[in-house]
Amino acid sequence: YSVKMKMKYYVQYMGKNQDDSPMYIFDGSFGEHPKKCKLLEDFVIPKYFRDDLFKYAGESKRPPYRWFVMGPARSGTGIHIDPLGTSAWNAVVSGHKWWVLFPPLTPKELLKIPPGMGENQRDE
């Protein structure tokens, strides 16, 4: 589900929370926002990731491809596949991010989310 709050309140939440699975910001439209799009000036796409075939589809037809994600310790997602099977690169500004990668032939029953956890996760 989605929660909206001012950034100053979210920063307070990040500093004080003790949640097992804290809320985090996942903004896929920051590049279109008049003020937030300035963040796009703060990074350069690494040369290894500049080949982007989706750019030939045009902005109106390409799948989502950039997100601003921010969260406190212990925040993150469950097992998932990125939208439309796309690839992504990540720039971590502070802290660390962990990934768990499974070989392509890992049996699906080993990757299923147990009942009662992550009801909103898709069965991928």
Side-chain angles (χ1 to χ4, degrees):
Y1 61 92
S2 178
V3 175
K4 292 188 180 207
M5 70 175 70
K6 291 188 176 215
M7 180 62 86
K8 66 181 180 180
Y9 300 125
Y10 182 71
V11 170
Q12 289 174 357
Y13 164 80
M14 284 194 333
K16 296 179 181 178
N17 93 81
Q18 296 295 315
D19 299 349
D20 289 337
S21 183
M23 295 185 293
Y24 63 99
I25 294 173
F26 190 91
D27 184 354
S29 62
F30 78 96
E32 289 79 48
H33 189 274
K35 291 183 181 177
K36 293 188 278 183
C37 71
K38 292 183 181 189
L39 289 169
L40 296 172
E41 299 170 8
D42 290 340
F43 68 88
V44 175
I45 298 172
K47 67 180 181 179
Y48 302 107
F49 301 108
R50 290 190 187 141
D51 288 339
D52 178 9
L53 296 178
F54 283 121
K55 69 183 172 189
Y56 299 110
E59 285 298 311
S60 64
K61 293 183 180 178
R62 76 180 299 155
Y65 69 105
R66 57 186 177 206
W67 299 269
F68 175 80
V69 183
M70 177 176 151
R74 299 175 314 284
S75 62
T77 65
I79 294 174
H80 69 279
I81 297 172
D82 285 346
L84 301 175
T86 57
S87 299
W89 63 274
N90 288 252
V92 178
V93 177
S94 176
H96 60 272
K97 179 175 175 64
W98 295 66
W99 285 269
V100 177
L101 305 175
F102 296 95
L105 299 178
T106 301
K108 284 190 173 192
E109 56 272 10
L110 293 179
L111 303 177
K112 290 205 180 267
I113 298 169
M117 294 181 66
E119 286 84 5
N120 294 325
Q121 293 284 334
R122 288 188 12 232
D123 183 17
E124 301 187 59

